[in-house]
Amino acid sequence: DGVTVQCASELARIQGCVPFNPFGEGTITPEAVRYLQAPGNLKTIVEQEIAHLGISGDTGWELPGGSVGVAGGLEYRKETGAEINPGFNQTGIGGGNATAPTNGDFDVSELYAEIDVPVLSRLTLDAAVRYGDYSTVGQQTTWKLGFDAALLDSLRFRGTYSEAVRAPNIADLYAGAGETFANVNDPCDGVDNTTTGQIAENCRSIQVIQDRIDAQGAFILTQPEKQGTGGFIGGNEFVNEETAESYTLGIVWQPGFAEGFSAALDFYNIEIDDGIATTSRNTVLDRCYNVPTAEFDPTCGPGLQPGGRARRDTRPGAGALIGVDSGTSNENRYETQGIDIELAYAMDLGPGTLGANLVWNQLFKWDEIGIFSGDVDENAGEILTPDSRANANIQYAWGDWAIFWRMRYWGSAKDSNTPELFNENDCFCAEGLAPSANEVDAYVYHDISASWGNGPFTVRLGLINAFDKEPPMLPQFTQYGNTGTNTAAEAYDTIGAQWYLAFNYNTN
């Protein structure tokens, strides 16, 4: 009592410094908050410049099914992206992990050609080819072949085969390094002088680890050391393109007895090589340490911070990893199969027209295969790749007015198909991931909107996630739980109910 608490620095007091006491209820004053708060604006820039010249039309070459049609053209695109964080975020002193800014661009010049060949009255073949020259990954060619066969008036069959390329985007190439403290397993943990194997030999070649083994009998990390490994994850300007082979086979039914109704079913099979993904930090360490000792580099090569991709505490008696960096690379092969089902119906009702459609995806397979290890991770049924997904839309239009109702369905899923592999190092649950943390129920979101249009003008008022459904809780030790949101923002709505008002003017 009677003691005045003030900021120690006279200059800071002149600048408005107010003592900050985080202990107890009501101890943080508005003055302290004003002194400590800092602006946290994030500026994002996405630019796309396009120059396009195209031609299309009939060739006049008549076949039994009609005239052959062609299209072709030239296109130039430049993609630019930037994400500029405030200084507090870049240094990591603003209440979150440090995140470097993103800034980069690339361009591509392309040629393309397409042709439709109605060889018979009920059979059309089509083909397309596209050649691109990228400033990042060089020359790339993609192509496809397809057919459409109306064997009956009410029944059509269709299919395609294609070879495709996805060039790395701005984030893949230039994403600013973001800080992480997710758990990583030190391959040297538990090594002693009797431990056999290549990894143990490499660990003992690090002097600070050998010294700790000699002093303590083994290199055994404490719990704070296990949890104290930070690091950075960012883009990689040397990442290459993904390539894919895919085919689809489908059937479309439009029965004559049900006017306005159609049903389509398409089977797809897609195989992607050199898939772009973020290399896990555990994989970085595994590849680094499991090599002949003559080739072993304890820094694991250049990283996003000084000292290499793997940095250890070199103080006597220490040796724990304090930082492990990673980034994007051509990391995996992906194989996926499934079916898409689409149902649509339209009818006149009262003064207007009622329309409804349902698009359903049923996933059979989504395998991720490690390029180097050959390990197969079966992801079908996990949170980002649920067995079932669907969108249903209902629309009623009359005159200049229309109302819309959309339902988005995300099927029940698991955080991991192999929860038993989660261990004490991953989630501090020695017997694996508990079902309560691993299983997520199906989610349905509702979006509602209404529009009025007259001539080139359209006004739309809408509500997204109309019933303000909250996302599931996925703690940070789960596979898909994101730090800061504790859920999978790629799958579930993290914002809540949102309304919007849009004005459109079409000059066509």
Side-chain angles (χ1 to χ4, degrees):
D1 294 339
V3 177
T4 300
V5 179
Q6 63 180 12
C7 297
S9 169
E10 182 179 357
L11 177 59
R13 294 197 299 272
I14 293 173
Q15 294 173 338
C17 179
V18 176
F20 175 79
N21 179 10
F23 303 105
E25 183 178 355
T27 59
I28 302 175
T29 65
E31 292 77 15
V33 171
R34 281 196 296 270
Y35 179 73
L36 291 173
Q37 69 184 4
N41 295 327
L42 173 66
K43 183 178 182 180
T44 301
I45 300 172
V46 179
E47 294 181 356
Q48 184 182 67
E49 301 173 38
I50 300 176
H52 178 262
L53 175 64
I55 59 172
S56 62
D58 291 335
T59 63
W61 180 20
E62 293 293 332
L63 294 177
S67 179
V68 174
V70 296
L74 311 171
E75 185 170 285
Y76 171 83
R77 295 195 315 277
K78 182 176 182 180
E79 308 275 355
T80 302
E83 192 171 83
I84 305 169
N85 305 307
F88 281 98
N89 289 15
Q90 293 186 34
T91 58
I93 61 174
N97 294 344
T99 304
T102 295
N103 188 25
D105 64 72
F106 67 88
D107 60 43
V108 54
S109 299
E110 293 184 309
L111 302 171
Y112 69 90
E114 303 174 10
I115 185 170
D116 279 335
V117 185
V119 292
L120 298 171
S121 61
R122 291 183 179 272
L123 175 62
T124 298
L125 303 180
D126 64 89
V129 63
R130 180 177 288 261
Y131 165 83
D133 188 2
Y134 290 79
S135 62
T136 50
V137 294
Q139 300 175 0
Q140 305 292 331
T141 302
T142 64
W143 58 273
K144 78 156 193 173
L145 297 172
F147 74 91
D148 192 317
L151 300 185
L152 302 172
D153 290 339
S154 61
L155 204 61
R156 289 173 39 230
F157 293 88
R158 59 191 181 188
T160 62
Y161 177 84
S162 66
E163 292 191 1
V165 167
R166 185 183 82 82
N169 57 33
I170 297 292
D172 296 330
L173 295 162
Y174 308 116
E179 192 173 19
T180 178
F181 290 96
N183 290 329
V184 65
N185 299 325
D186 188 336
C188 298
D189 189 14
V191 169
D192 60 26
N193 284 323
T194 64
T195 307
T196 60
Q198 188 64 63
I199 292 176
E201 288 184 22
N202 290 332
C203 290
R204 288 191 292 264
S205 71
I206 301 172
Q207 190 60 51
V208 67
I209 292 179
Q210 183 62 65
D211 291 344
R212 185 161 163 179
I213 292 174
D214 293 339
Q216 301 178 7
F219 182 74
I220 299 176
L221 296 175
T222 66
Q223 194 62 43
E225 286 175 328
K226 290 180 180 181
Q227 295 177 243
T229 306
F232 289 81
I233 298 175
N236 174 10
E237 60 183 286
F238 300 107
V239 72
N240 293 316
E241 71 280 359
E242 299 177 342
T243 60
E245 293 184 11
S246 65
Y247 66 85
T248 66
L249 292 171
I251 184 171
V252 180
W253 182 44
Q254 295 175 298
F257 60 83
E259 185 178 355
F261 174 79
S262 66
L265 184 150
D266 290 278
F267 170 83
Y268 62 85
N269 182 89
I270 304 171
E271 298 177 355
I272 300 174
D273 285 319
D274 299 320
I276 299 173
T278 298
T279 306
S280 78
R281 297 191 300 151
N282 282 323
T283 300
V284 169
L285 292 172
D286 290 341
R287 292 175 184 167
C288 173
Y289 277 74
N290 197 12
V291 297
T293 302
E295 302 173 10
F296 175 57
D297 174 6
T299 71
C300 298
L304 300 172
Q305 296 292 304
R309 285 205 290 178
R311 301 173 294 280
R312 290 188 178 273
D313 186 346
T314 58
R315 295 176 301 170
L321 284 167
I322 57 175
V324 179
D325 297 342
S326 182
T328 52
S329 66
N330 298 96
E331 191 64 40
N332 300 304
R333 173 181 171 88
Y334 300 98
E335 297 179 358
T336 183
Q337 290 181 351
I339 58 171
D340 290 325
I341 301 172
E342 183 172 1
L343 306 176
Y345 183 65
M347 62 176 292
D348 294 330
L349 182 65
T353 301
L354 177 68
N357 77 293
L358 170 68
V359 179
W360 185 284
N361 172 255
Q362 191 67 33
L363 187 64
F364 298 154
K365 172 184 178 181
W366 183 280
D367 290 349
E368 181 179 320
I369 305 168
I371 290 176
F372 293 96
S373 66
D375 295 340
V376 179
D377 187 2
E378 298 179 355
N379 293 325
E382 292 188 349
I383 283 173
L384 295 190
T385 50
D387 292 330
S388 302
R389 284 182 288 178
N391 281 337
N393 300 277
I394 299 175
Q395 171 184 324
Y396 186 72
W398 72 102
D400 297 334
W401 292 89
I403 55 175
F404 306 86
W405 179 19
R406 180 176 67 172
M407 290 166 284
R408 295 175 282 141
Y409 172 81
W410 198 272
S412 58
K414 295 181 178 180
D415 180 72
S416 173
N417 286 331
T418 54
E420 65 276 5
L421 297 183
F422 281 71
N423 56 43
E424 192 172 19
N425 292 324
D426 295 319
C427 64
F428 316 114
C429 40
E431 297 181 358
L433 193 62
S436 60
N438 191 49
E439 298 175 0
V440 179
D441 293 335
Y443 268 63
V444 179
Y445 297 101
H446 299 266
D447 306 325
I448 303 169
S449 65
S451 70
W452 175 85
N454 190 304
F457 296 96
T458 303
V459 181
R460 182 186 293 267
L461 177 65
L463 188 61
I464 301 173
N465 190 5
F467 301 113
D468 196 22
K469 191 172 184 64
E470 295 183 355
M473 172 64 73
L474 294 170
Q476 292 186 30
F477 57 74
T478 55
Q479 181 174 200
Y480 296 106
N482 294 328
T483 301
T485 61
N486 286 329
T487 192
E490 305 94 326
Y492 306 106
D493 189 312
T494 59
I495 298 176
Q498 311 150 61
W499 69 271
Y500 63 91
L501 180 63
F503 300 87
N504 294 326
Y505 178 76
N506 192 340
T507 59
N508 294 332

